[in-house]
Amino acid sequence: KAGVTQTPRYLIKTRGQQVTLSCSPISGHRSVSWYQQTPGQGLQFLFEYFSETQRNKGNFPGRFSGRQFSNSRSEMNVSTLELGDSALYLCASGPGTPPYEQYFGPGTRLTVT
Amino acid sequence: GNSVTQMEGPVTLSEEAFLTINCTYTATGYPSLFWYVQYPGEGLQLLLKATKADDKGSNKGFEATYRKETTSFHLEKGSVQVSDSAVYFCALSDKDNFNKFYFGSGTKLNVKP
């Protein structure tokens, strides 16, 4: 089975721009979660989608949004980028039913200048 | 609420030494527990899991036992190798809140030849 794929792997954007990151889950997985990883804050949960519905949300501003398509692929969007948004963004997929487990992609490294 | 606490790193060991990385958790229900490993420049890989009290997860020589009485899930390995050098994350999933995961801050392991 192919693993979780994320595109692009690296991205450089300028403050004020917006960005869209993409995640393709493992075949058959219906849940996709997004995380932000930074050296200072560690792994922080952004949101989780299950069958195209946002089921869980972390404590991030509204500039961070996401969606999930009928084929379970997911996108994450960040508008009005700030320097502090520079991070590794990780996507994880899972069955979305007990016993819950998640499988991570390699991440997208976003640098905001 | 739910939270995971890991021992501070980095942990530096010589090859073939015994490894313990402590992990304790706080949960309102009966979570599933996980250990993930992250190698430089990569996403997180699921190392092992346990879904109920007294379960032992094991993989690649690593083990962890779900101890409800001490709310712990310590990671152990009898003989570490240089290739085990990575960051290890303890995590729990809240069964009552679908797929929401809580991660510890990570423990960096350095193994010297």
Side-chain angles (χ1 to χ4, degrees):
Chain A
K1 248 184 188 179
V4 178
T5 58
Q6 292 187 244
T7 55
R9 291 292 312 276
Y10 302 91
L11 207 47
I12 300 175
K13 289 286 188 179
T14 304
R15 227 172 357 170
Q17 288 185 315
Q18 76 163 24
V19 67
T20 299
L21 312 181
S22 181
C23 173
S24 292
I26 292 171
S27 177
H29 284 181
R30 295 165 64 191
S31 167
V32 173
S33 297
W34 288 90
Y35 295 85
Q36 182 194 67
Q37 187 179 29
T38 58
Q41 299 296 318
L43 268 166
Q44 293 187 280
F45 172 75
L46 281 152
F47 29 67
E48 185 233 356
Y49 287 86
F50 179 78
S51 293
E52 301 179 68
T53 300
Q54 188 181 85
R55 194 164 64 169
N56 270 308
K57 191 176 187 310
N59 297 321
F60 276 80
R63 299 185 298 107
F64 292 82
S65 63
R67 59 178 175 167
Q68 187 180 34
F69 302 95
S70 58
N71 60 0
S72 293
R73 192 176 69 82
S74 176
E75 287 182 348
M76 185 192 116
N77 186 76
V78 187
S79 63
T80 319
L81 283 165
E82 301 177 359
L83 295 178
D85 297 333
S86 294
L88 181 66
Y89 289 88
L90 292 164
C91 163
S93 79
T97 53
Y100 297 115
E101 54 193 42
Q102 296 187 348
Y103 296 87
F104 283 79
T108 294
R109 172 73 62 185
L110 172 64
T111 302
V112 182
T113 62
Chain B
N2 298 307
S3 66
V4 176
T5 303
Q6 285 182 240
M7 62 188 287
E8 292 278 333
V11 173
T12 302
L13 296 172
S14 297
E15 206 165 23
E16 298 184 5
F18 185 85
L19 168 71
T20 301
I21 300 179
N22 290 338
C23 170
T24 57
Y25 67 89
T26 302
T28 51
Y30 300 94
S32 293
L33 300 173
F34 306 84
W35 277 101
Y36 283 84
V37 58
Q38 186 176 34
Y39 298 99
E42 298 183 12
L44 278 68
Q45 296 178 23
L46 178 61
L47 183 58
L48 53 83
K49 67 181 181 185
T51 59
K52 60 183 188 299
D54 299 325
D55 266 3
K56 177 186 278 189
S58 61
N59 186 26
K60 300 180 182 179
F62 291 90
E63 292 183 340
T65 302
Y66 189 164
R67 303 278 187 208
K68 183 165 166 284
E69 63 276 12
T70 54
T71 61
S72 65
F73 192 55
H74 304 321
L75 182 68
E76 297 181 336
K77 187 176 185 185
S79 176
V80 293
Q81 306 299 313
V82 172
S83 57
D84 293 327
S85 297
V87 180
Y88 292 81
F89 292 90
C90 184
L92 68 83
S93 73
D94 183 352
K95 293 175 186 173
D96 296 327
N97 198 12
F98 304 111
N99 215 26
K100 190 162 187 180
F101 267 59
Y102 297 81
F103 283 86
S105 55
T107 302
K108 185 170 184 180
L109 171 66
N110 296 315
V111 181
K112 297 187 173 181

